[in-house]
Amino acid sequence: MNIKNIERVVSPPPHHFVGDGFRVHNFIPSIFSMERMSPFIMMDYNSKHIFPATENPRGVGVHPHRGFETVSIAYKGKIAHHDSAGNSGVIEEGDVQWMTAASGVLHKEYHEKEYSKKGGEFHMVQLWVNLPSSDKMSKPKYQSIVNHDISKYYLPNNIGRIEIIAGEHNGIKGSASTFTPVHLMNGYFNEGSSETFHFPSNFNTALLVLEGKVKINGNQIVDTDQFALFKNDGETFEVTAMEQSLFLILSGEPINEPIAAHGPFVMNTRQEIIQAFEDFNDGKFGELAD
Ligand code: MN
């Protein structure tokens, strides 16, 4: 197998706020286009940030989505969500919420009440995973994946673990079901720990370092909050932790279809975007109180 080499390592672009609760750096599509990272069409990274205590939870109010999935990974802090189908819940530290918006949901995302009252570290990732045209109008659904239920691969001698959210590593299958082939996994490595990963060469692949510092293929350093994009040249790469590290790997088969994106809607054609706005204005996404 050939080495999958690094194409580019980037530092986080300036942050912006989503609502008043998510202080995010956007790697996709601001630096890497939706097409380049397909099926990952958006990645907001809330680097570690301390929010002060408040009685009024910060967040983002009622908004729609159609045509894709949102994947929220909470590392520090807790996120509460409510949607127009009556679903609600809390994403706790280490948990993942995989929401298939598909034909459409209205939802709101806020810091959880008790976390808000105390304030403290907040550290999370939200990814948007595109859906193929055949699934864009399927029924919305949730996968609430608590940390206990995430598949884990332990490195020999317990020098690290890989939490496989989706896809597969060393024969261990991830916990989430996906519409197209997607690998998504967190590595928690002690200093000096090393592991080799394999993904098909055509899969768009990247690694985000959330804590610590890693070395890729023995020569390329990726520091805290940096995002490394791999070339589509080979299948295998090695990650070595230069200090205690936490990193997220994403790899997926590109969905080679036209992308028409506007705000919270990601479809294949402009006509479908117009339809999404019409359906939203006609109340077809349901109702949800602020
Ligand atoms: Mn949302």
Side-chain angles (χ1 to χ4, degrees), residues 38-60:
S38 173
F40 308 102
I41 48 174
M42 202 282 301
M43 184 183 197
D44 271 346
Y45 172 49
N46 193 127
S47 57
K48 210 177 270 184
H49 180 72
I50 295 173
F51 282 99
T54 177
E55 289 297 319
N56 302 306
R58 298 176 179 86
V60 53

Side-chain angles (χ1 to χ4, degrees), residues 136-186:
K136 279 187 181 294
M137 291 302 282
S138 65
K139 203 166 161 268
K141 66 168 186 176
Y142 282 93
Q143 299 174 73
S144 294
I145 309 167
V146 298
N147 189 268
H148 180 264
D149 292 335
I150 296 179
S151 309
K152 295 175 184 76
Y153 171 80
Y154 292 91
L155 272 61
N157 303 316
N158 210 19
I159 54 170
R161 70 177 188 280
I162 297 159
E163 297 190 349
I164 305 143
I165 299 165
E168 180 266 329
H169 181 71
N170 280 2
I172 298 184
K173 290 216 183 328
S175 311
S177 72
T178 64
F179 287 80
T180 59
V182 168
H183 299 273
L184 189 64
M185 54 194 76
N186 282 311

Side-chain angles (χ1 to χ4, degrees), residues 63 65 70 107 109 126:
H63 60 280
H65 291 296
T70 68
H107 77 159
E109 300 156 275
Q126 188 172 89

Side-chain angles (χ1 to χ4, degrees), residues 237-266:
F237 62 90
E238 185 191 54
V239 180
T240 304
M242 301 177 72
E243 52 191 74
Q244 188 168 318
S245 297
L246 162 60
F247 57 91
L248 174 69
I249 291 175
L250 43 155
S251 182
E253 183 176 65
I255 299 171
N256 292 317
E257 294 179 0
I259 296 175
H262 194 100
F265 307 129
V266 181

Side-chain angles (χ1 to χ4, degrees), residues 203-237:
F203 279 32
N204 291 325
T205 303
L207 180 150
L208 172 72
V209 175
L210 292 111
E211 288 176 353
K213 188 192 288 192
V214 304
K215 195 181 268 188
I216 311 278
N217 296 328
N219 56 25
Q220 189 104 36
I221 291 170
V222 189
D223 212 335
T224 307
D225 297 339
Q226 288 187 323
F227 180 99
L229 172 69
F230 288 88
K231 290 181 184 171
N232 297 92
D233 58 351
E235 297 82 25
T236 178
F237 62 90

